[in-house]
Amino acid sequence: MNKLLTIVIPSYRSSKILSKLLKTLPRKYKIIIIENSFDSEFRHKVEKKYSNVKVYLKKNIGFGRAINFAAKKIKTKYFIAINPDTIIYKNTLTNLLKAAKKIDIFGAIGPTHINFKKNKNKNFYLEKDKLNGPANLFQTKTFKKIKGYDDKIFLYFEDNDYYKKCNILNLKLYLIR
């Protein structure tokens, strides 16, 4: 199992779309799913099929709290939080990790959702004030140190609140291609 990255997927009754996502993710990474519908049948099917996946059942604790719960279980240097309906392309995780290794400390790194126009700029990342939330890579230590997402925000805007916290603490946010 890879000791650099853990994949975290918060879910609420997303078993069909999540099954499609799991087929595309490399099995060398540990994957933590927080299933907010307490679907024990889903947990059984997934854990039987994928030895690298651990499913935690919760009674709808919301997106931010689900990510915070998973962060407490993570032992890798980085983790990526992915929505179940996100498409992760072949080189996305590699490119995110490559960027993370080049940047000493950051709040989050997100992949682009469209291609950068080719230009002469050699940088493959852009500094941003906030990112788009479907996939974010975090330094586990930094995420825990700033206490992750606000547990009081149940759903929607918890990522914006996190980005605001990063801006205040001067933790940079990056979009990579």
Side-chain angles (χ1 to χ4, degrees), residues 55-111:
V55 179
Y56 293 92
L57 301 178
K58 295 290 181 184
K59 289 193 176 184
N60 206 359
I61 59 175
F63 177 86
R65 285 180 64 195
I67 301 295
N68 291 346
F69 172 84
K72 292 175 185 170
K73 310 261 181 231
I74 295 171
K75 306 257 189 277
T76 55
K77 184 173 184 175
Y78 306 106
F79 76 94
I80 184 168
I82 303 174
N83 287 350
D85 59 349
T86 302
I87 296 170
I88 299 295
Y89 296 104
K90 183 180 177 182
N91 294 322
T92 300
L93 298 176
T94 303
N95 291 342
L96 287 167
L97 288 171
K98 202 181 294 184
K101 289 176 186 177
K102 289 184 179 194
I103 304 165
D104 190 33
I105 298 173
F106 57 88
I109 299 174

Side-chain angles (χ1 to χ4, degrees), residues 109-124:
I109 299 174
T112 57
H113 302 284
I114 56 172
N115 290 329
F116 280 101
K117 289 186 179 179
K118 296 214 178 217
N119 60 32
K120 295 179 184 182
N121 186 353
K122 301 246 186 229
N123 288 337
F124 63 99

Side-chain angles (χ1 to χ4, degrees), residues 1 4 10 16 21 31 35 40 50 54 59 73 78 80 82 96 109 112-114 125 134 138 142 148 150 152 173:
M1 201 65 54
L4 198 57
K16 286 182 183 177
L21 174 62
I31 299 173
E35 178 50 55
S40 58
Y50 299 97
K54 175 70 178 155
K59 289 193 176 184
K73 310 261 181 231
Y78 306 106
I80 184 168
I82 303 174
L96 287 167
I109 299 174
T112 57
H113 302 284
I114 56 172
Y125 55 88
F138 302 98
T142 302
D150 185 337
K152 294 179 208 130
L173 305 168

Side-chain angles (χ1 to χ4, degrees), residues 30-44:
K30 180 176 181 173
I31 299 173
I32 297 173
I33 299 171
I34 302 84
E35 178 50 55
N36 279 305
S37 71
F38 217 86
D39 185 346
S40 58
E41 184 179 323
F42 169 74
R43 176 177 63 186
H44 176 72

